[in-house]
Structure formats: C-alpha cells, structure tokens
C-alpha cells in the first residue's frame, strides 16, 4: 500500500463510540469541576437546569447549581465509565456561564464537537479601539459572524471580553485565527475570503494534495495615515559648559536707569505719573468700547422690484363674462336648460290628467 494512502483519512470515517465494554470497571477516583456564573445568567440557568441534569445523567455525571455562591459543579459517580465525560461536562458549564444557550452548549457532549473560549479583553490596550474591533468581528447586523459560522461549521458567541466557539476541531482552529487577527487590526473579511477559496479548492480531488499558496490572496498592509505630530515639541537646547548669566537685581536696574540717585520725593512723583498714564490709557479704551454702540450699522442696498412679466396675457373680457353669468345665477338654482325641461314635463302631466 502507498504511504500517502495510509496517512490520509477516508471520507466519512468516524471514530467508534466509547462504550461500557471499553472500561467495565469504571473510575477509581471521583473528579469534579466548578465554575462561577454572572448574576444575569441566574434566571436562565434555573429554567434550563433540569435539562442539563438530564443530559449529564445519560453519561452518569451529577450536576449541582448553587445560587447562593453563584456556581455550577459537575462530579463523576460510581457508574461513570467514560473518563472524558467529566471534561465535556466541565466545558458544558463553562459555555452556559458564557451566555451560550443550552440548545447549543449540549452539543459539546458529542464525540466530534469541541469548544474554545478565546479571551480577547487583554489583547487591545485602548477600550475604544477594543469595542470597535469587537464590533467589526460581529459585522453589520451580525453578517460577518454569520458568514464565519457558515464557513467553519461552528457556533460563535461574542460576549464581553471572551469569544466562545463550538464545533469541529478544524473549524475552531480557523475561528481562533480570525478572532486574534481581528484584534490585531486585520479586517475579518480578508480571512473570510481566504476560507471561501479554501472551501472551493477542497471540493476538487486533484488539488487536495497540492500546495494552495498560488490560489490564496495576498493582502499587503497599507499605512495611509501619516503619524500625528505632537502639538508641543520639546526642542533640546545646545549644551554649553558655562552657567546661564545671573539675573539683574532691583538695585542694578535702578543704577542702570539712574533712578537710584533720585530723591524720595522725585521717586514718588515718577510713580504717580506712571499710574496716571496707565489710568488715562484705560479710560480711553473704555470710552472707545462705549462709542462702538453709537456707530450706526451699514444699510443694505435697496433692491428694485422686478417688473411683472407680460409673457402670459390674461383674457380680461372672458373673466368679466364669467362674473356676469355668476351674478345672474342664484345660489342652488338649476341651469336654464334643466328648468325648461322640467316645465315641459309638468305641462305633459297636466294634459294627461
């Protein structure tokens, strides 16, 4: 037999189910898993808990719901024969805590179904960009998420800081890649296009064993926006070994201006003159502000009214005739022809009598 045939899995092949005959003595130790759930899930879990217990009892696993602590616990029993059943039960309560409906979460108990909970909360620093990218994953009216579900055959639930996926192993791998790329600012439509091409190529039996790199699209990143420059630029000054010059004292300034040698009375007079000059400037500015209210506004130029166009000529004589005829008629009166016909009909009736 050829080696390539040995390595490939035939179409439609399934691994046989694990039965009691495979492990007749059961498990040696009791295993248990517990998980907390948020307050808003309490009402839904109370409703669907009997269904959860029924589904797990088929695999001989006990389930308890603690509403005081807000936790769910699953434990194995003496009758449990499948060692992996407790792992599936653990995944079931994890999915229920992450807002996955029971109808979808119960599928985890099947052999060919697995789950993956992807934590996306810590992948993006800014909260605003995180919300934008999470919304991009959903798409308008959830269209992007629906397309991803159809291509991967997985159920995907975006809730808070996590993405819960449920489906076959190959599909989960693709879902994780798309989610992580979206959080790295790569639009999910690029990955969806690639998945669509792969799906079409897998249908062709000749191309299955070939390399698909030449068929897949290659997307280059484009930095269209330039980097924003800061408003305040800190320019470093040139290094000098000498210290900056010492600032002048008040006495130095007075010596330079010659004020130091003046008498006290002269100094006072000079200060008063400066104060009066400042006051005069302030009064002048205030007066200018007041005078602005008395300046008349500029009048708009008068626009002459355009002459009425004489293109459409009105027949005045015809209107006058209509008015005359209307005056002759009384309100509610019948037309002249109808009156004549009515008189003729009355005369005929009289003759017959």
């Amino acid at each position: 037999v050829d080696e390539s045939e040995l390595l490939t899995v035939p179409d439609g092949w399934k691994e046989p189910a694990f039965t009691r005959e495979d492990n007749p003595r059961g498990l040696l130790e009791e295993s248990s898993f517990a998980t907390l759930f948020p307050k808003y899930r309490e009402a839904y879990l109370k409703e669907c808990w009997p269904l959860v217990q029924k589904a797990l009892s088929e695999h001989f696993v006990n389930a308890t719901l603690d509403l005081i602590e807000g936790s769910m616990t699953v434990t194995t029993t003496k009758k449990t024969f499948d060692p992996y059943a407790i792992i599936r039960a653990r995944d079931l309560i994890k999915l229920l805590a992450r807002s996955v409906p029971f109808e979808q979460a119960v599928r985890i108990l099947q052999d060919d179904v697995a789950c993956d909970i992807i934590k996306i909360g810590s992948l993006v620093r800014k909260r605003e960009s995180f919300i934008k990218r999470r919304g991009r994953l959903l798409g308008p009216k959830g269209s992007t998420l629906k397309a991803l579900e159809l291509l991967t055959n997985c159920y995907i639930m975006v809730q808070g800081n996590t993405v819960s996926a449920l489906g076959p192993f190959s599909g989960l791998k693709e879902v994780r890649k798309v989610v992580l790329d979206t959080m790295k600012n790569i639009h999910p439509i690029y990955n969806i296009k690639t998945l669509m091409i792969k799906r079409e190529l897998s249908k062709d039996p000749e191309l299955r064993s070939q390399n698909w790199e030449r068929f897949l699209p290659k997307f280059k990143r484009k930095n269209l926006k330039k980097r924003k420059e800061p408003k305040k630029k800190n320019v470093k000054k040139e290094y000098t070994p000498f210290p900056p010059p010492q600032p002048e004292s008040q006495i130095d300034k007075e010596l330079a201006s010659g004020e130091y040698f003046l008498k006290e009375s002269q100094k006072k007079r000079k200060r008063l003159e400066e104060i009066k000059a400042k006051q005069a400037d302030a009064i002048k500015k205030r007066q200018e502000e007041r005078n602005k209210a008395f300046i008349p506004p500029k009048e708009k130029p008068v626009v002459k009214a355009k002459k009425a166009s004489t293109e459409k000529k009105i027949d005045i004589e015809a209107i006058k005739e209509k008015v005359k005829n209307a005056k002759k008629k009384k309100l509610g009166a019948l037309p002249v022809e109808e009156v004549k016909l009515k008189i003729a009909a009355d005369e005929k009736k009289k003759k017959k009598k």
Side-chain angles (χ1 to χ4, degrees):
V1 182
D2 191 18
E3 281 186 19
S4 60
E5 287 181 22
L6 290 170
L7 294 169
T8 55
V9 179
D11 292 333
W13 181 85
K14 279 187 178 182
E15 196 175 336
F18 195 86
T19 57
R20 188 171 280 282
E21 292 170 8
D22 297 316
N23 186 17
R25 293 181 183 181
L27 306 175
L28 293 170
E29 293 288 332
E30 186 187 89
S31 302
S32 65
F33 288 101
T35 186
L36 298 170
F37 61 86
K39 185 75 177 172
Y40 62 85
R41 287 293 286 169
E42 191 178 308
Y44 180 77
L45 290 170
K46 273 170 78 177
E47 280 181 25
C48 72
W49 198 249
L51 296 169
V52 174
Q53 285 179 322
K54 190 183 176 184
L56 291 174
S57 65
E58 291 174 10
H59 297 269
F60 304 103
V61 176
N62 283 337
T64 52
L65 179 69
D66 191 347
L67 297 172
I68 297 160
E69 285 185 7
S71 66
M72 294 178 280
T73 313
V74 285
T75 52
T76 55
T77 59
K78 288 178 180 179
K79 291 182 180 180
T80 311
F81 61 88
D82 187 0
Y84 200 71
I86 190 67
I87 303 295
R88 286 188 185 135
R90 178 202 66 182
D91 292 340
L92 173 64
I93 59 171
K94 267 190 184 179
L95 292 168
L96 288 169
R98 295 307 316 149
S99 295
V100 177
F102 170 75
E103 291 79 12
Q104 292 290 340
V106 79
R107 285 171 52 211
I108 196 70
L109 299 173
Q110 297 171 15
D111 284 339
D112 56 343
V113 179
C115 78
D116 189 10
I117 295 166
I118 308 154
K119 291 177 182 178
I120 57 172
S122 59
L123 297 175
V124 186
R125 281 185 184 179
K126 289 184 181 178
R127 185 72 184 167
E128 289 174 7
S129 55
F130 167 72
I131 291 161
K132 271 186 184 178
R133 289 172 195 184
R134 190 179 63 182
R136 203 179 287 164
L137 186 65
L138 292 164
K141 295 180 182 178
S143 57
T144 308
L145 197 70
K146 191 71 186 170
L148 197 61
E149 282 181 350
L150 291 168
L151 288 165
T152 56
N153 297 321
C154 292
Y155 173 81
I156 306 161
M157 181 78 186
V158 181
Q159 176 75 12
N161 294 334
T162 57
V163 177
S164 307
L166 186 80
F169 290 98
S170 57
L172 291 174
K173 189 181 173 184
E174 296 292 344
V175 169
R176 179 170 271 274
K177 185 182 178 295
V178 173
V179 170
L180 295 176
D181 282 354
T182 306
M183 289 296 124
K184 288 173 187 172
N185 204 18
I186 298 165
H187 204 281
I189 199 71
Y190 299 134
N191 285 311
I192 285 167
K193 279 183 180 179
T194 308
L195 286 170
M196 286 169 78
I197 293 161
K198 281 181 180 178
R199 196 179 193 183
E200 292 300 315
L201 291 169
S202 63
K203 289 176 184 176
D204 193 349
E206 291 178 6
L207 293 168
R208 275 189 183 181
S209 57
Q210 292 181 18
N211 189 11
W212 291 349
E213 283 294 321
R214 57 200 170 106
F215 299 110
L216 301 176
K218 290 174 183 177
F219 303 106
K220 290 180 181 179
R221 291 188 76 178
K222 291 179 182 179
N223 294 330
L224 297 172
K225 285 185 180 179
K226 289 181 180 178
R227 191 184 171 188
K228 288 181 180 178
E229 291 182 357
K231 285 183 180 179
K232 290 180 181 178
K233 288 183 179 179
N234 296 326
V235 181
K236 284 187 176 181
K237 292 176 182 178
E238 288 183 12
Y239 173 74
T240 53
F242 307 104
Q246 198 171 357
E248 285 185 346
S249 65
Q250 191 67 29
I251 296 165
D252 291 338
K253 286 175 184 177
E254 285 179 2
L255 283 165
S257 63
E259 196 180 332
Y260 183 79
F261 303 102
L262 294 171
K263 290 176 184 180
E264 196 64 38
S265 59
Q266 287 174 327
K267 285 179 183 179
K268 274 185 181 179
R269 200 183 303 142
K270 195 178 181 182
R271 270 187 238 121
L272 283 166
E273 281 173 5
E274 284 175 3
I275 290 161
K276 280 179 182 178
K278 282 182 182 178
Q279 283 175 349
D281 287 338
I283 289 161
K284 195 180 179 182
K285 283 179 183 177
R286 215 179 300 132
Q287 197 63 38
E288 283 174 3
E289 287 292 323
R290 283 176 184 172
N291 290 339
K292 278 180 185 177
F294 299 103
I295 297 164
K298 288 182 180 179
E299 291 183 3
K300 290 179 182 178
V302 179
V303 181
K304 290 181 180 179
K306 290 180 181 178
K307 290 179 181 179
S309 59
T310 55
E311 289 177 6
K312 294 180 180 178
K313 290 180 180 180
I314 300 160
D315 195 357
I316 297 161
E317 295 297 325
I319 293 163
K320 282 180 180 178
E321 281 180 18
K322 281 182 182 179
V323 171
K324 280 180 184 179
N325 291 334
K327 281 181 179 179
K328 286 176 185 178
K329 286 180 185 179
K330 291 178 182 178
L331 286 167
L334 294 166
V336 180
E337 291 175 4
E338 285 186 23
V339 170
K340 285 178 181 178
L341 289 167
K342 206 171 187 184
I343 292 161
D346 289 339
E347 284 176 3
K348 281 180 183 180
K349 283 179 183 178
K350 284 177 182 179
K351 283 176 185 180
K352 283 178 181 178
K353 284 179 181 179

